[in-house]
Amino acid sequence: MMNCVKVSSFIHAIRSYKRFCHFESKSHLGFGSLDSPVRASVGIFWDLDNKPPKSFPPFDAATKLKKAAGQFGVVRFTVAYANRHAFSYVPPLVRQQRKERKTLNLLEKSGVVKVEDPYICRVCGRRFYTNEKLVNHFKQIHEREQTKRLNQIDSARGKMRVKLVAKYAMKMDKYKGAVRDVLTPKVGYGLADDLKRAGFWVRTVSDKPQAADVALRNHLVDVMDKRMVDYVVLVSDDSDFVEVLKEARLRCLKTVVVGDSNDGALKRTADAAFSWQEIMMGKAKKEAVSVVGRWKDRDVLKRLEWTYDPEVEKKLYFSEVESDDSDGIFSGEDDKEDVGASILKEDAHAWWKLDSRSGHD
């Protein structure tokens, strides 16, 4: 009793100290679990070879995907696998936008089209009334400056390299933020850079068939073996991942599939499934809350279910008989043997079958 009082007073003292000092305790110190429950861990595994964001900007698609997955718990793993062909591929929508941009540049240069709002350089703030002049300005000044900065960092060593990185960090970030809207990527449409900017770990694999699937499957199995996630979000329509999802469900992990195939094998195997349209519209983010609620209700009902196990019931019955014997109900060993023999005789047949001989007696 005294120990319980000491523990409760200790916890009350810690909480009072937190309120007085106005700081949020860290979980690794052992105080965070006193107030906030531990949230589940979520891992996003993206098969870029099979499911690249063709109809949506990569950065927006990755950001919306992380927000939707964040409704299941804390997103701790965001990985994407593909070969080099996936990063060099340009979707038809992006190609059409580039053609329209070239046509508009020609019309602006010839004076047929005049823009009302000038183009503003996001690095230095200068204004231009044609997009072509903005592009030339960016290449001649800012791209050269960026190249010089990178060369200085590459040639430096030790402390000098660290100082240069710290010195040019803000300028390089500002350049990276502006170059996406001005210059056209030399290869692909900037898929890898946009995913990295969204916080994904992008891995390029060899050009062998199914190389990305094998690498992603091995990574997923390794994460499951180490029990590092509670929810698995797989972005793919490839039916080769069906066995991995089944293995995840056997390990009591919740599985979510994001893809466009409505009747695919992955969606039939997973616990929940969403389409890219639902992810981009924010519908998946809203539905995830109700999905988690249904899963919790189902787990509670499973724990409340009663199942009959003959072996467990027999052991329980024997333990009750032995406890009664210890209280003095049975006087000797012979009575124990008679009771045990009668119980074994009664349990020789199934409990639901009636003894036909009892009626004759």
Side-chain angles (χ1 to χ4, degrees):
M1 184 66 182
M2 292 297 294
N3 292 334
C4 295
V5 173
K6 290 181 179 179
V7 171
S8 61
S9 60
F10 176 69
I11 295 175
H12 178 71
I14 292 174
R15 288 176 175 170
S16 302
Y17 184 68
K18 283 176 61 179
R19 289 193 295 268
F20 177 77
C21 294
H22 301 285
F23 72 90
E24 185 173 351
S25 61
K26 304 297 182 180
S27 59
H28 67 272
L29 296 178
F31 302 144
S33 60
L34 296 177
D35 293 330
S36 58
V38 179
R39 296 190 65 192
S41 300
V42 182
I44 303 176
F45 302 88
W46 197 338
D47 180 16
L48 286 175
D49 279 356
N50 181 262
K51 189 52 59 182
K54 297 179 181 179
S55 304
F56 310 101
F59 179 77
D60 295 341
T63 305
K64 293 288 183 65
L65 178 62
K66 289 182 67 175
K67 288 182 178 179
Q71 297 299 315
F72 296 103
V74 181
V75 180
R76 302 193 183 279
F77 296 93
T78 51
V79 296
Y81 282 86
N83 55 32
R84 60 183 180 85
H85 297 293
F87 299 116
S88 61
Y89 171 76
V90 180
L93 181 62
V94 177
R95 288 199 294 264
Q96 182 64 27
Q97 291 175 352
R98 290 180 180 179
K99 287 182 180 180
E100 293 175 357
R101 182 71 261 179
K102 286 183 179 180
T103 305
L104 185 59
N105 288 344
L106 292 176
L107 294 176
E108 289 177 353
K109 186 178 180 180
S110 61
V112 177
V113 177
K114 292 184 178 180
V115 294
E116 297 180 357
D117 298 328
Y119 299 98
I120 301 176
C121 177
R122 292 172 55 186
V123 177
C124 62
R126 290 186 60 183
R127 300 187 176 190
F128 302 90
Y129 286 93
T130 61
N131 185 67
E132 188 175 0
K133 289 184 179 180
L134 173 63
V135 173
N136 293 334
H137 159 78
F138 207 89
K139 288 181 177 179
Q140 293 174 3
I141 298 178
H142 301 304
E143 191 175 26
R144 289 181 179 179
E145 290 177 350
Q146 179 73 357
T147 304
K148 290 180 180 178
R149 287 192 288 264
L150 293 175
N151 291 335
Q152 288 182 14
I153 293 173
D154 291 339
S155 60
R157 295 290 183 273
K159 292 183 179 180
M160 181 57 66
R161 185 187 182 93
V162 176
K163 290 181 180 179
L164 289 175
V165 171
K167 179 182 178 181
Y168 296 137
M170 294 184 64
K171 292 183 179 180
M172 294 175 68
D173 290 341
K174 196 173 185 180
Y175 173 84
K176 290 179 181 178
V179 71
R180 301 184 190 94
D181 300 330
V182 179
L183 302 182
T184 302
K186 297 179 181 179
V187 179
Y189 64 113
L191 175 61
D193 293 336
D194 284 349
L195 293 184
K196 290 178 181 178
R197 185 161 61 103
F200 275 78
W201 184 71
V202 182
R203 180 69 182 272
T204 305
V205 298
S206 63
D207 295 336
K208 296 180 180 179
Q210 305 295 323
D213 295 349
V214 173
L216 184 61
R217 190 184 303 113
N218 293 338
H219 193 159
L220 182 54
V221 171
D222 182 62
V223 170
M224 289 192 299
D225 289 339
K226 297 177 181 178
R227 196 67 183 181
M228 303 172 75
V229 295
D230 302 304
Y231 293 84
V232 175
V233 179
L234 178 62
V235 185
S236 179
D237 281 333
D238 196 345
S239 59
D240 292 340
F241 292 100
V242 170
E243 297 299 327
V244 181
L245 290 185
K246 290 181 179 179
E247 179 66 22
R249 296 190 65 180
L250 288 175
R251 302 188 187 197
C252 299
L253 302 180
K254 301 300 182 183
T255 56
V256 181
V257 169
V258 177
D260 294 326
S261 180
N262 295 326
D263 298 329
L266 286 180
K267 289 191 174 182
R268 292 195 299 268
T269 307
D271 295 302
F274 301 103
S275 64
W276 265 122
Q277 197 70 26
E278 293 173 337
I279 294 290
M280 299 303 296
M281 292 175 59
K283 185 178 179 181
K285 182 180 177 181
K286 297 179 181 179
E287 290 185 356
V289 179
S290 60
V291 169
V292 173
R294 289 198 301 268
W295 287 345
K296 290 182 179 179
D297 295 341
R298 188 174 60 187
D299 293 340
V300 170
L301 291 175
K302 281 185 178 180
R303 288 196 294 268
L304 293 176
E305 287 180 357
W306 178 81
T307 56
Y308 175 75
D309 190 349
E311 297 297 329
V312 174
E313 296 293 332
K314 187 183 295 184
K315 292 179 181 178
L316 181 62
Y317 192 80
F318 273 120
S319 63
E320 291 178 355
V321 171
E322 291 177 358
S323 63
D324 292 340
D325 185 22
S326 62
D327 293 338
I329 296 177
F330 300 106
S331 58
E333 295 293 334
D334 296 338
D335 294 333
K336 285 186 181 180
E337 294 178 359
D338 295 340
V339 171
S342 62
I343 292 173
L344 292 174
K345 186 177 180 181
E346 290 176 2
D347 291 341
H349 55 275
W351 63 272
W352 63 85
K353 294 182 180 180
L354 297 177
D355 191 356
S356 57
R357 294 175 296 179
S358 61
H360 297 293
D361 295 339

